[in-house]
Amino acid sequence: MRIASAETITTSPGRNFVTLRITTDDGLTGLGDATLNGRELAVASYLSDHVIPLLTGRDAARIEDTWQYLYRGAYWRRGPVTMAAIAAVDTALWDIKAKAAGMPLYQLLGGASRTGALAYGHASGRDIPELLDSIREHLAAGYRAIRVQTGVPGLGPVYGVASSGGAGGAGGPGGGERYDYEPARRAALPVEETWDTRAYLRHLPGVFEAVRAEFGPELPLLHDGHHRMTPIQAAKLGTSLEPYDLFWLEDATPGEDQAALRLIRQHTTTPLAIGEVFNSVHDYTTLLTERLIDYVRSAVTHTGGVTAMKKLLDFAAVYGVKSGMHGPTDVSPVGMAAALHLDLAIHNFGIQEYMRHSAETLEVFRTSYTFADGLLHPSDTPGLGVELDDAAAARFPYAPAYLPVNRLTDGTVHDW
C-alpha cells in the first residue's frame, strides 16, 4: 500500500482550516489536521512545497518510519509549523491504517479504556450574572464540567469572553462578527486588547465564590490564565482559588520557562495544566519529571500527530500526569477526532476540551463522533470517522484572520 498522492485543502467555513489528504494506490484516503490558528498558510506552504514531494511512493503503513523521516531528516526540528505539518501526515496515515484494518483508530491504539471522554465547555460572561446564565446554558446542553471566564471591571473586551465585541462578538466595542466561538477575528490587522493583571487578581476569586454559591461544590470548574501572570502572581491566584476546588488552573504563566512552575507549585495546591502552545515532548521534560503540572494540554494537531501524542502521554503517565488535550474550534473536526481516539484508549485520561464547531464547519467535515451526557465518543466508524466534502470546502475560501494582541494599560505589549 503506497502513497499515490497528497494534497492540502484550505477552507474557511467560519474560520480557517488546513487539511492534508493522502490517497494510496489502492484508493484509501486519510485526513490530517494542519491548522495553525492565524498562521494557517505557513503550514499549507510547508506541506505543499517541502513535505508532499517526499511522500509519493512511500509505504503508507510505515507510520513510525515516516514520522522519523520527516522529523529527523529535515535537520530543522520542532516549532509549531513543522510539528503541525508532521502531525497532519501522521494522522492521515493512521486514518488510512485503521480504514485498511476495518476498525476505528482507538482499536489500533490498544482498545477502549473507558466508555467515553469527559468533556468541558467554555462558559463566559462580561459580568457575573451573564456568566451564570452561560453556565446554565452549558449544563442544559449536557456538559458536566465547565471552564469559567469573565470580563474584568474597568477593562474592555477580554480573551475567552464570548460576548466581548473586541474578541469577535457582534456589536461590541471591537466590532465585527464572532469568529466561530473563538477570539480570532477576520481583519487585515489584529484587534488590540487592554490588560491589567492586578485588577484581574482582585476580581477572579469573587467570580468563583459566586459560581460555587450558585452551582454547589460538585461541578468541576476550570480556568484559563492564558500566560498572563508572573510566577508569583500565579502562585497568589492559585492560593486564593483553593477554597473553590478548581479542576485546574491553566496556563498560569508563560510556559517557555519550565522552572517557573516550581515557584507556583511551592505555593498552591490548585492543580495546574499547561501546554497548548507546546509542540514537542521536550517542552515538558522538566514539568513531568519534577511533577510540576497535573495535566498535559497539547493538541494532536500541533504536537506531531497521534504517534507523538501517544508517546508524550505515556511519558506523562509514568509521573502520574493526566491528559487534558486542547480542543477548541481552532482544531478542526479531524484533529478533534484524533484526540478522541487517544482519549478513549490511553489509561491516564483526564478531561477533553470541547467547543462545538459551527454548522458550516460540519458541512465541510462530516463527523461521526458523538457527545451525550457529558461524554464524547469517537464512534466505531473505521479510521478517524471524519470525511471532507470537497464541494462544501470550495464554498468557503480562505480569509485572513488574527488572534488579538494584548497590551497593558500603559501600552506595553503583554503576553496573550
Side-chain angles (χ1 to χ4, degrees), residues 186-336:
R186 296 185 180 195
L189 294 172
V191 170
E192 295 194 2
E193 298 179 351
T194 302
W195 183 249
D196 183 335
T197 305
R198 294 185 70 238
Y200 161 77
L201 294 175
R202 290 192 301 270
H203 178 61
L204 198 63
V207 172
F208 277 90
E209 181 180 24
V211 172
R212 281 290 181 221
E214 181 71 18
F215 297 101
E218 298 299 324
L219 179 63
L221 300 177
L222 306 86
H223 178 71
D224 185 357
H226 221 255
H227 314 107
R228 289 180 168 180
M229 289 168 276
T230 65
I232 198 65
Q233 288 171 335
K236 178 180 179 180
L237 179 63
T239 302
S240 68
L241 294 179
E242 285 176 9
Y244 310 111
D245 189 26
L246 267 64
F247 188 95
W248 77 35
L249 173 61
E250 174 188 349
D251 289 344
T253 193
E256 294 93 330
D257 181 5
Q258 297 186 22
L261 275 292
R262 292 182 185 135
L263 188 149
I264 303 172
R265 194 63 132 182
Q266 289 167 5
H267 288 277
T268 182
T269 59
T270 295
L272 302 174
I274 202 165
E276 72 178 65
V277 299
F278 293 172
N279 52 74
S280 165
V281 66
H282 302 290
D283 296 316
Y284 284 99
T285 304
T286 299
L287 303 179
L288 295 177
T289 58
E290 297 188 22
R291 294 179 170 88
L292 301 180
I293 60 171
D294 302 280
Y295 297 92
V296 166
R297 282 283 295 129
S298 287
V300 175
T301 299
H302 305 136
T303 317
V306 173
T307 296
M309 276 301 297
K310 179 66 162 58
K311 292 177 180 179
L312 169 57
L313 294 172
D314 286 344
F315 179 36
V318 173
Y319 297 95
V321 177
K322 295 185 177 183
S323 73
M325 279 186 279
H326 186 59
T329 53
D330 65 2
V331 172
S332 86
V334 175
M336 173 58 70

Side-chain angles (χ1 to χ4, degrees), residues 9-318:
I9 300 100
T10 302
T11 183
S12 190
R15 67 177 312 137
N16 295 315
F17 298 106
V18 179
T19 307
L20 176 70
R21 179 164 53 205
I22 295 177
T23 304
T24 66
D25 55 9
D26 54 1
L28 288 176
T29 61
L31 299 178
D33 183 18
T35 306
L36 189 62
N37 197 359
R39 297 294 184 269
E40 299 89 356
L41 297 185
V43 188
S45 174
Y46 191 103
L47 283 166
S48 297
D49 297 333
H50 303 293
V51 173
I52 287 176
L54 306 176
L55 297 179
T56 304
R58 292 187 65 84
D59 185 346
R62 295 182 62 177
I63 298 175
E64 178 72 24
D65 183 69
T66 298
W67 196 98
Q68 300 295 345
Y69 179 78
L70 295 176
Y71 181 80
R72 297 181 187 277
Y75 184 72
W76 302 109
R77 300 182 184 181
R78 302 168 63 189
V81 174
T82 294
M83 298 307 285
I86 293 174
V89 175
D90 182 82
T91 302
L93 293 179
W94 276 109
D95 192 17
I96 289 169
K97 185 179 282 286
K99 287 177 179 176
M103 296 180 177
L105 174 57
Y106 73 82
Q107 293 289 10
L108 301 188
L109 302 176
S113 292
R114 55 197 49 82
T115 57
L118 177 67
Y120 72 89
H122 290 197
S124 65
R126 289 167 292 189
D127 53 27
I128 291 175
E130 192 170 273
L131 167 65
L132 299 180
D133 285 343
S134 180
I135 294 173
R136 293 185 191 100
E137 291 170 4
H138 280 77
L139 294 175
Y143 286 96
R144 289 165 31 191
I146 305 291
R147 191 185 83 163
V148 172
Q149 308 290 140
T150 65
V152 177
L155 299 182
V158 171
Y159 156 77
V161 179
S163 54
S164 292
E177 294 183 0
R178 188 151 194 85
Y179 186 47
D180 199 5
Y181 320 122
E182 274 286 277
R185 179 181 169 214
R186 296 185 180 195
L189 294 172
V191 170
E192 295 194 2
E193 298 179 351
T194 302
W195 183 249
D196 183 335
T197 305
R198 294 185 70 238
Y200 161 77
L201 294 175
R202 290 192 301 270
H203 178 61
L204 198 63
V207 172
F208 277 90
E209 181 180 24
V211 172
R212 281 290 181 221
E214 181 71 18
F215 297 101
E218 298 299 324
L219 179 63
L221 300 177
L222 306 86
H223 178 71
D224 185 357
H226 221 255
H227 314 107
R228 289 180 168 180
M229 289 168 276
T230 65
I232 198 65
Q233 288 171 335
K236 178 180 179 180
L237 179 63
T239 302
S240 68
L241 294 179
E242 285 176 9
Y244 310 111
D245 189 26
L246 267 64
F247 188 95
W248 77 35
L249 173 61
E250 174 188 349
D251 289 344
T253 193
E256 294 93 330
D257 181 5
Q258 297 186 22
L261 275 292
R262 292 182 185 135
L263 188 149
I264 303 172
R265 194 63 132 182
Q266 289 167 5
H267 288 277
T268 182
T269 59
T270 295
L272 302 174
I274 202 165
E276 72 178 65
V277 299
F278 293 172
N279 52 74
S280 165
V281 66
H282 302 290
D283 296 316
Y284 284 99
T285 304
T286 299
L287 303 179
L288 295 177
T289 58
E290 297 188 22
R291 294 179 170 88
L292 301 180
I293 60 171
D294 302 280
Y295 297 92
V296 166
R297 282 283 295 129
S298 287
V300 175
T301 299
H302 305 136
T303 317
V306 173
T307 296
M309 276 301 297
K310 179 66 162 58
K311 292 177 180 179
L312 169 57
L313 294 172
D314 286 344
F315 179 36
V318 173

